[in-house]
Amino acid sequence: MKTQTQTISAVIRKHKIRQVRKSILTHMFMITLTLIFLVPIFWMLSTALKTRWEIFVWPTTWIPKVLHWENFSDAFTRVPMLRFMGNTLFIIVVKIIGELLAVPLIAYGFARLRFPGKKVLFLLVISTMMIPLQTKLIPLFTMYVKLGLNDTYWPLILPAFTGTPFFIFLLIQYMKTLPRDLDDAAKIDGVGTFGILYRILLPLCIPALTIIVTYTFLWTWNEFLQPLIYLSTYEKFTIQLGLEMFKGIWSVEWNLLMAATLATMLPVLLMYFFAQKKLIGGIASVGLKG
Amino acid sequence: MKRETRKIVMALAILLCMSTFLFAAGQKETVATDAKKAEVVTLEWWTWNSEEYDEAVQRSLVKEFEASHPNIKINMTLLPTKGFETKMTTALGAGVGGPDVAFFSISSWFPKALDLGPYIERDTFDTGMYYEGFWDTKTQFNGTTIGLPLGVGASLVMYNKDLFDAAGVAYPTSDWTTQEYLEIAKKVANPAKKIWGCEILTRPFRAIWYNYGPNARLYSMDSTTVDGYLNSPESLSAYGWFYDLMRSGATPSVSDMSTLSTENTGPIDLFMADRLAMATLNQGHMLDAVRAGKNFGVVREPGVGNNQRHVNAWSMLVSIWEGTKHPEEAWTFLKWYVGPEGQKFLMDNGNLFPSIETVAVQYKDADKDYVKGFLEILNDKQVAIWRGSHPSGTKVEATIKDLWDMIKLGTIKKSEIKRELDKLVPRAQETLDEAKKTLLY
Amino acid sequence: MRRPWKNRSQAEVKEAICGYISISPWLFGFVILTFIPILSTIYYSFTRWTIMDAPVWIGMENYVRMFTNDPLFYQAIKATGLYVAMSLPIVIVFGVLLSLLLNMKIKGMNFYRTLFYIPAVISGVSIAMLWTWLLQPDVGIVNTLLALVGIEGPKWFWDPKWALPSVASMSLWKVGGSAVIYLAGLQNIPPQLYEAAKIDGAGKVRTFFTITLPLLTPTLFFQLIIQMIEAFKVFTEAFVITKGGPLKATYFYLLYFYEEGFQHFNTGYASALILVLVVVIMSMTMLVNYTSNRWVYYEGDEKAK
């Protein structure tokens, strides 16, 4: 009896040690990767805290002698970054609403319903992603001006309400992994075609929807070309336009630019940090009914 | 699930309210001013930032103008440098949504500029007040006047007096040659401290090339022939000089230039960090150096023997878009802004070097060395007729870029340069012929 | 084959109608925002057009010149093709690996996930700059580390042989973004399957290849197509860092298009260039699509019925 308990506790101890070792190794690995990823960020911060002409001095200093935190406030007074951030945020929220309205509907059609020409139309959805924006600039711009939508946010928002192909494709793939049993069961219960979408399938698509929200946020935040073309009132500008203003025709104010870039990165990261829970945690129960 | 959905909806709703508020706050101003503008004309003015005229100065300019012209309001849109060209090309190409007044910095836009001839004549606007060279080369297109020249700019060599003193080398004089440039660069360089003598030129066929002789051009003056110009003996000499420069060790490496020299603005950061003893910069950079209290001097680019000296000089062309709905008001603003009043304002409150001689002599720092040096440089023959003014220039230059890279990287011997140049002639000629089919001149 | 429509049941017709209603927002957007602009591009590809003048019809001349008298065209194809071949495996493999790593239930994983997502947050231009500093031959971190081990690092972006691999390796930086998508796909795999595998005594590697990977194929299919399209459209790295050099090693197709269209104002020719690219990408996509039946497994697809 005694030897048995000894052996069992020995096994348990070995197991625990292995666990701890695995955990430590993983942490070490992650920390190393972290440092590598963080180095450029650290460089950006270092540059943001220097005076303008101090940045390219040799030998390069990682921590400047004097930390010029006022660069952050200078950056925000030189260019109305806060206003631009608010503008961009507004566009993002409206676009998210648009995508969340359009994309599930469209993806549902392709993933679950049968209609003639589906294969060809699906190819068209994907093919729109192949066309670089620059080719569409002039025709689209002409159209919007003629519609009187120039210098408004409408050209930036409208595509979201028609569904971004990337998201449509993503959600189609996601929906296809959900078993048809769910649909059939719902049909038997008398749920209509679109009811299946909104009551059964969509709640299970939360991770994909979170991706849509996150990426809409990210891409709109980083967008430069379209706001540049469609907006001509300075006060309406968006973030990336604002950041470019630190680049003059003869020189670039690197310290202010880095400060502003870092400041504008924060909300996105925060947003992503909180969005993760929806993305990862809360295991989407892929309804395996009994 | 339902509670979660509700939470998400709440969060979105709050975000929406917040951003709508921020957005609306911005809108209020526009709405209020819209009401006021009902009886006045609003002009769209697209411009950018520069050391010579920053945002604050330009906004004050607008106020000053509006004060004396109550029936005209200017909506000034500041655009980033990179975006300016794309936005203009899109609007001008679409034929709608363009600005009333803007810089027409790309020659391909010229067909879309309003012909100012009739207005100049009607108002007997004295175009002779501008520096002659700029009037001829910058504002004329197919026999029409398409804009007015704002300010003057030029490339020049700035040298760091402290670094020169430390190396015990005499300052460059204005009659210096390209050989002396090379020698000086080698002497002042201090590789141990990562200090270099001069930068790597970005491209050929600028002032220094022209100093080698009248045939050291990309193609003939009448834009028909490449052979005998691109591969002329003078051109070859210039390339040889550049080759020696690249092998001298006085310049940063190619990778250094990319990483440390910023966004095609010229190596101003390196110069200001005391790592370049000499650098080919321009008047905007000069102002940076003055503001930072740098101990520097200016001199024109080195020449060759007794040949005619040249300078890359320019003036910013400001034009009226032909699709403007308010040509009269736009003309009123243009002739004020680029005329004596506007340029004097920008000179006094900003740092513009005016393109009007009578205004320029009133420059407040006219006695300073750097101003005198700069104005002296402008006396040389302008090279501006050439690159940038001629639409084919960029296209043809693109065909010879590889040779430049080869010399920079050292993958070619000096003796092989002639052969390479000859090889490039047919391709360059072809491009030139092709470009002339769309030639605007 | 297919039955004619008059023979189909009422339910099927109803489903088809619902289908069209479903996709109507996209259809509307496609016609207005994509189809019409594409038609203009097709038209312009048969003209000589400087944007500022009226287009001049020249028929097939642009295409003829492209295929017979344009060495830059072939250089651009070569550079882009090599880039796709190099970067695609990197992005896919490391994306999956990273997502597996991030899927582990370890304390602080939330923080790590955010961390690896940071590069995706920084816009392309800033990333390009950062990499320029990282791969700087003299003082960049990579070469400094290599020097510690006694290797003299190459000149990376400034060496004609190494420029393209350097740019291709930059796609490693973006791996965080695609890992997020794989993560979502991983979440969708029923944990019961893993438990069953553990009971059966399957090791980690075996579990991966028999359960994780097959059920991840829908996401893989998605990523393959997306990343391939993005790879063909590579532009920023060349535009910001290498400017297509050195010696045209990184002269990507879209860079050529940009120079022709926006710098030289040969917009007719540029339109033709773009159309050729779209055709190439579309063919590759269709290829992947047709082979997908073999290797993609959907749990909820109709074929499973």
Side-chain angles (χ1 to χ4, degrees), chain C residues 209-227:
Chain C
F209 280 104
T210 49
I211 298 184
T212 317
L213 200 53
L215 287 178
L216 206 52
T217 45
T219 322
L220 272 172
F221 173 68
F222 171 74
Q223 283 290 71
L224 184 60
I225 294 204
I226 297 284
Q227 300 295 353

Side-chain angles (χ1 to χ4, degrees), chain A residues 52-58 60 78-80 82-83 85-87 89-91 93-94 96-97 100 137-138 141-142 145-146 150-151 153 203 206 217 224-225 227-237 241 244-245 247-252 254 278, chain B residues 1 4 8 12 15-16 19-20 22-23 26-27 29 44 46 48-52 55 59 75-83 86-87 90-91 93-94 96-97 192-194 259-260 262-263 265 268-269 272-273 275 282-285 288 292 314 316:
Chain A
R52 193 169 170 197
W53 306 118
E54 195 188 329
I55 302 169
F56 290 90
V57 156
W58 191 84
T60 38
R78 170 77 61 83
V79 175
L82 272 182
R83 160 78 69 84
M85 282 165 86
N87 294 342
L89 204 59
F90 174 73
I91 298 174
V93 171
V94 180
I96 289 179
I97 296 176
L100 289 179
L137 267 184
I138 294 189
F141 178 74
T142 318
V145 172
K146 295 237 167 86
N150 191 26
D151 201 25
Y153 290 142
I206 302 284
F217 196 103
F224 175 72
L225 197 56
L228 170 76
I229 299 299
Y230 295 126
L231 300 173
S232 42
T233 305
Y234 191 56
E235 286 72 24
K236 293 186 188 165
F237 280 3
L241 292 182
E244 281 291 318
M245 296 305 301
K247 300 183 187 170
I249 38 175
W250 304 132
S251 57
V252 177
W254 290 108
K278 281 279 158 275
Chain B
M1 250 327 148
E4 307 236 4
I8 297 175
L12 271 178
L15 263 175
L16 184 58
S19 38
T20 317
L22 272 167
F23 175 66
Q27 288 297 77
E29 293 175 27
E44 295 285 319
W46 293 0
W48 57 48
N49 264 349
S50 162
E51 276 87 340
E52 305 150 89
E55 181 184 351
R59 291 216 187 269
N75 181 23
M76 178 179 121
T77 303
L78 264 182
L79 291 170
T81 330
K82 268 215 206 97
T86 315
K87 194 172 170 67
T90 310
V96 291
K193 290 201 183 159
K194 300 266 188 191
T259 44
L260 301 172
T262 51
E263 296 270 331
T265 56
I268 178 67
D269 294 292
M272 296 296 288
R275 290 175 70 181
N282 62 36
Q283 81 288 352
H285 302 129
D288 283 330
W314 58 81
M316 289 301 184

Side-chain angles (χ1 to χ4, degrees), chain C residues 175-235:
Chain C
V175 151
S178 58
V180 165
I181 298 190
Y182 290 121
L183 269 174
L186 284 175
Q187 294 307 301
N188 226 5
I189 299 174
Q192 292 88 325
L193 290 177
Y194 285 125
E195 282 163 22
K198 218 193 275 185
I199 294 175
D200 279 353
K204 280 233 166 93
V205 179
R206 182 112 184 285
T207 319
F208 175 73
F209 280 104
T210 49
I211 298 184
T212 317
L213 200 53
L215 287 178
L216 206 52
T217 45
T219 322
L220 272 172
F221 173 68
F222 171 74
Q223 283 290 71
L224 184 60
I225 294 204
I226 297 284
Q227 300 295 353
M228 187 178 67
I229 295 179
E230 287 306 305
F232 273 108
K233 283 165 47 175
V234 59
F235 173 76

Side-chain angles (χ1 to χ4, degrees), chain C residues 9 14 35-36 46 69 89 104 180 186 188 197 282 288:
Chain C
S9 68
K14 184 162 173 253
F35 190 58
I36 296 182
F46 293 110
N69 192 20
M104 301 201 307
V180 165
L186 284 175
N188 226 5
M282 208 174 316
V288 174

Side-chain angles (χ1 to χ4, degrees), chain B residues 48 80-90 105-106 109, chain C residues 262:
Chain B
W48 57 48
T81 330
K82 268 215 206 97
F84 190 87
E85 294 179 357
T86 315
K87 194 172 170 67
M88 283 286 283
T89 303
T90 310
S105 49
I106 293 190
W109 297 338
Chain C
F262 282 81

